[in-house]
Structures are given as C-alpha cells and as structure tokens.
C-alpha cells in the first residue's frame, strides 16, 4: 500500500517525485530503492517505522517511472534516477544523512555520496549492485544483445518476475560505472549481503569493500539470506546495523 502521507517534489522539468518523510533527529536517513521497486516495499516501510520509533529523520521516495512518481519506467536510466536522488537529498533533507541503498539503490547511493561528500555521514548497502547494468549486458546471450540493440528493449526474468531492460539504460550505465577505479569516499560503510542471493553475487560486496577508500568498512554476510533480505530477522539486523551507524555519525556530528 502507498504511504498515506505521500507528498510531491516537483522537478525542474515539471515532473513530480512521490515521497514520504518523517521528522526527527539528524543525521537523517534516506532510503534508495532497487530497480522497479517503490517506497511501499517491505524494507522501505520497515525503515520508516524504525526511524519513527527512534526519533530519526527519514525520507523514502519513488524514482521517476516507479510507484506513484511521474514518468515511464522505460525512460529511466541510472543517471536520471541518480538526479532524482540528488534532488531529494538537496531539497528534502538538512544536514548530514545516512544513505541506505538496496540493490540498484546501492549503486545510486555511491553516486550520490560521490556528488555530495559533505552531506554523507554513512552508507549502508543491502545487496548493493553497483555497475549491474554492465554485468547484466555481458550476462545476456548474443541473441538478447542483438534484440536489445535492434528493438531498444527486452524483458528479462528475475526471481520469477519479468523486468524491462532498455538500450538507453545499458548505454547510460556505462557513464556511471564506479567499480573500475578506487571509490574515494571517507564516510563509514556497512554492506549486508545474502549468500543465497540469486540476483547479485554476494562476492560483489567484497569487491566493493576493496574499492572503497574509507577505513571504516564492514561486510556482513548472511549465509542463508536471499536477495531481498526481508525476513524479520534480516530486518532486525538491518535496524541494528543502521543504529550503530547513526550513533557513530551522531557522536561525530551532533544533531542541532
């Protein structure tokens, strides 16, 4: 169910992003969802409740083409959705923020952090999937790649569902790759990944940890965890990890 307190952020082009916000202490928390996910998903709503219970500011939103926001999903790209996230951080939050990125949101989390280093107090990736568009491209068979180039889009399956992948999404993703060089971020990072993740190889989080230049980087592997990590015990661990991260950030940069 969409949040009952849905609000709207108008972008420069007149399109609107749907979002929901919780007032509270800083550093605040911003949730960045995954590919074809929306702000009514399990992790987004659970984090909303966690932040309310802990008096922590929180924002969740739908990228363009997702959920209640304007736009077509097929027109979306990593660059465009990163700009959506930057608009949310710039216009809907104040002071330091902890970014929580799920799957594709983990990639957008890194893009936002690189663009707004002075605003980021911490990063928490859940099955983070940086550069996944390039990895997806190479995982396609020759026939699918040819159809994608010829027709502009194809449908691929994930966890029993069907997702549209466009040529524009793949091409734009090449301009936003982060795993081909050191990632120059100093904020503390926590990465949680299920070892039974059928969508994103859990070893990617180890590679990401190695790319990050931050000293305080911790990887948490959930041996029986899947891609979604939405079981109650997974969510409780997410809350404990987020709590540790915001406590550290609060100690270093107290809320006003």
């Amino acid at each position: 169910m969409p949040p009952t307190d849905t609000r709207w952020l108008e972008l420069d082009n007149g399109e609107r992003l749907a979002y929901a916000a919780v007032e509270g202490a800083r550093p605040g928390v911003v949730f960045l969802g995954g590919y074809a996910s929306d702000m009514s998903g399990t992790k987004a709503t659970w984090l909303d409740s966690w932040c309310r219970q802990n008096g922590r500011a929180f924002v969740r939103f739908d990228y363009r083409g997702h959920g209640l926001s304007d736009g077509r999903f097929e027109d979306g790209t990593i660059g465009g959705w990163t700009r959506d996230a930057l608009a949310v951080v710039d216009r809907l939050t104040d002071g330091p923020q902890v970014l929580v990125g799920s799957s594709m949101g983990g990639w957008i989390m890194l893009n936002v952090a690189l663009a707004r280093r002075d605003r980021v107090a911490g990063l928490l990736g859940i099955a983070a999937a940086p550069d996944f568009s390039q990895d997806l491209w190479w995982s396609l068979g020759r026939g699918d790649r040819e159809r994608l180039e010829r027709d502009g889009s194809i449908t691929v399956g994930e966890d029993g569902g069907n997702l549209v992948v466009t040529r524009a999404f793949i091409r734009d993703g090449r301009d936003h790759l982060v795993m081909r060089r050191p990632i120059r971020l100093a904020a503390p990072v926590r990465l949680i990944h299920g070892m039974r993740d059928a969508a994103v190889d859990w070893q990617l989080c180890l590679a990401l940890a190695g790319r990050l230049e931050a000293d305080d980087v911790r990887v948490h592997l959930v041996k029986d965890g899947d891609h979604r990590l939405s079981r109650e015990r997974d969510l409780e661990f997410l809350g404990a990890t987020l709590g540790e991260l915001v406590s550290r950030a609060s100690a270093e940069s107290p809320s006003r």
Side-chain angles (χ1 to χ4, degrees):
M1 292 290 291
T4 56
D5 57 346
T6 300
R7 307 179 198 175
W8 304 94
L9 175 64
E10 186 168 337
L11 303 175
D12 292 341
N13 64 359
E15 292 183 315
R16 302 181 308 162
L17 298 181
Y19 75 95
V22 175
E23 298 296 327
R26 290 178 285 170
V29 178
V30 178
F31 180 71
L32 306 166
Y35 192 75
S37 298
D38 59 51
M39 63 173 170
S40 63
T42 302
K43 288 187 287 292
T45 55
W46 192 91
L47 286 169
D48 185 289
S49 296
W50 186 93
C51 286
R52 290 179 189 276
Q53 292 169 9
N54 289 274
R56 187 67 50 186
F58 178 66
V59 177
R60 52 182 166 137
F61 70 100
D62 291 334
Y63 310 111
R64 277 173 292 171
H66 290 67
L68 300 176
S69 290
D70 292 342
R72 297 193 321 143
F73 178 81
E74 292 80 2
D75 296 331
T77 61
I78 291 295
W81 293 329
T82 296
R83 289 189 289 274
D84 293 346
L86 286 169
V88 167
V89 170
D90 290 345
R91 296 171 56 186
L92 300 180
T93 72
D94 182 41
Q97 302 294 312
V98 173
L99 306 181
V100 180
S102 176
S103 194
M104 180 189 76
W107 186 1
I108 292 177
M109 171 185 78
L110 295 169
N111 291 342
V112 171
L114 288 166
R116 300 290 186 272
R117 287 179 172 85
D118 60 331
R119 297 290 313 283
V120 176
L123 303 176
L124 200 172
I126 309 165
D131 297 7
F132 87 90
S133 64
Q134 192 72 355
D135 299 329
L136 173 63
W137 167 256
W138 290 115
S139 72
L140 296 174
R142 179 177 177 180
D144 282 338
R145 291 201 298 268
E146 290 176 349
R147 284 195 299 111
L148 184 61
E149 288 295 335
R150 182 185 69 242
D151 301 335
S153 67
I154 60 172
T155 300
V156 298
E158 181 186 81
D159 292 342
N162 292 315
L163 295 176
V164 174
V165 176
T166 68
R167 181 175 57 214
F169 175 80
I170 297 293
R171 290 180 176 177
D172 172 87
R174 293 169 185 156
D175 295 330
H176 300 279
L177 301 177
V178 295
M179 292 291 289
R180 273 60 178 173
R181 64 187 68 85
I183 302 173
R184 294 184 170 86
L185 293 171
V189 181
R190 304 291 179 264
L191 302 172
I192 306 174
H193 213 120
M195 295 181 72
R196 294 181 182 173
D197 188 335
V200 180
D201 191 330
W202 61 267
Q203 295 186 61
L204 178 59
C205 74
L206 302 180
L208 173 55
R211 288 291 184 189
L212 287 160
E213 291 193 341
D215 291 328
D216 186 2
V217 178
R218 301 180 191 176
V219 173
H220 302 283
L221 297 176
V222 183
K223 190 166 185 179
D224 65 345
D226 61 9
H227 182 63
R228 300 184 186 281
L229 289 175
S230 293
R231 299 168 302 183
E232 187 58 34
R233 63 180 180 273
D234 297 328
L235 297 172
E236 289 173 358
F237 185 71
L238 169 61
T241 305
L242 178 59
E244 179 266 327
L245 201 52
V246 297
S247 294
R248 169 179 173 147
S250 296
E252 295 180 353
S253 180
S255 302
R256 294 192 294 272

